[in-house]
Amino acid sequence: MSTTAQIGVTGLAVMGSNLARNFARNGYTVAVHNRTAARTHALVKDHGHEGDFIAAETAKDFVAALERPRRLVVMVKAGGPTDAVIEEFAPLLEPGDMIIDGGNAHFADTRRREAALREQGIHFVGAGISGGEEGALNGPSIMPGGPAESYDSLGPMLEKISAKAKDGAPCVTHVGPDGAGHFVKMVHNGIEYADMQLIGEAYQLLRDVAGYTPAQIAEIFRTWNTGRLDSYLIEITAEVLAHVDAATGKPFVDVVQDQAEQKGTGRWTVQIALDLGVPVSGIAEAVFARSLSGHSALRDASRGLAGPKPTALSAAEAGAFADRVEQALYASKIVSYTQGFHEITAATEEYDWNIDLGKVASIWRGGCIIRAAFLDRIRAAYDTRPDLPSLLSDDTFAQEIAAAQDDWREVLVAATRQGVPTPGFAAALAYYDALRAERLPAALTQGQRDYFGAHTYRRTDREGSFHTMWGQDRSEVEA
Ligand code: 6PG
């Protein structure tokens, strides 16, 4: 066994252990360390046969086991625990060494940590890692930020352990400096929330409007997964819907409490979008839908509120409706990705990150939770036109939405008539209609602002800022 590890992983909960095993299975010698040494020994005992591990009980032994420049992967909880681990290890490292934070850190924390460690000559690489436990073990999508030069030595290792897209390309790239990797991972999660919400709405419509059972809806999702919606989330949706609860014999989905939880990355995506002034309304509705579901007292108090009379569809109508829902889901999904990519564009301008959107789409094609066949087309769209103002400006996507829009609207009409909440579909369509509108009521908003607060407005026919003397003779003055 080699006594010099090419990489070390500290924090051996399931994500950390699986990542360490992934490195080992790919032929790297991996130093492993955990706050409680029992876990370190358990990993080596259970999985030692998978490759070369060096179990380190102390931080000092761990650092000593690493070849230089040291590559130290931190897999602990975001926030305080990450800072604590950095504080413990940084004094033991030397210039040129790397700390790779593979947690779901807030990108602002990553920027702060990167700047502080840079002073010491330590490369801090905030790396988004997606794919859950399974991905960490068998190939995640990895979104590393930090100094570009760290990628020279780290990149090949990450490429080896990452997922590979259908064309064989590794699902990892140097996303950009400092917090760029964690930012892109955050937006990945925001899109994940939106995707899940849209799928949830499609399910609810198929159940409440079309009258299908969960098992039938599972079959519909299976069929959709063979087409343009082909994606991991659609695939697992079919599995979850087909599952029957062993204890009651009921569909599993009917015995689970309908209160969705969240750890916070979707919320961050929306909070930061607000700061950047980017309309991510679809992602926001997904976050709000989760919060609403959790307000049980409010929901209990509202159950008696009036709703429309339900109407049943014939089998033929239900089938046609399901096809329309597929169109609505696909069109709304394009809008979610449009909004997410817009947020990345705004951040890359704000922080000078120079993020290549085609590469982002490319590394999301495999390993991550939002992996989907259509990401290859997003990659192609940005590769052809890196300055694409929005995904909706791409001819292929624009044509697909043009073909889908009648059905998309019909689905929302049906949802409204039957009282099925579809905030994701509705927000996506409103975004689409607002973007393509010749004129928006924002002109009226400006007039109101000028009326009550003399906030001024710009005219369509002349340069400058103007104010109307609303309280006097309503003449216009240049402000
Ligand atoms: C991934 C996921 C993961 C995320 C979970 C839970 O890419 O592997 O995005 O990082 O933390 O999906 O997220 P919520 O608890 O917020 O739903």
Side-chain angles (χ1 to χ4, degrees), residues 376-392:
D376 194 47
R377 296 168 46 214
I378 299 184
R379 176 201 58 76
Y382 281 117
D383 281 355
T384 316
R385 238 188 106 187
D387 64 339
L388 199 64
S390 120
L391 276 182
L392 299 176

Side-chain angles (χ1 to χ4, degrees), residues 281-327:
S281 46
I283 300 171
E285 288 296 352
V287 177
F288 285 136
R290 288 198 192 187
S291 335
L292 187 148
S293 76
H295 280 282
S296 40
L298 188 59
R299 289 178 62 194
D300 285 346
S302 312
R303 283 197 214 281
L305 295 175
K309 250 207 238 114
T311 49
L313 298 188
S314 69
E317 285 168 337
F321 182 72
D323 291 344
R324 288 201 192 102
V325 174
E326 192 270 346
Q327 298 274 10

Side-chain angles (χ1 to χ4, degrees), residues 63-97:
V63 169
L66 296 170
E67 72 173 30
R68 302 231 27 227
R70 300 185 181 90
R71 303 177 197 93
L72 192 159
V73 182
V74 179
M75 295 298 292
V76 301
K77 274 209 180 92
T82 302
D83 281 320
V85 169
I86 293 171
E87 263 166 47
E88 184 181 6
F89 284 100
L92 306 174
L93 300 178
E94 291 167 272
D97 289 349

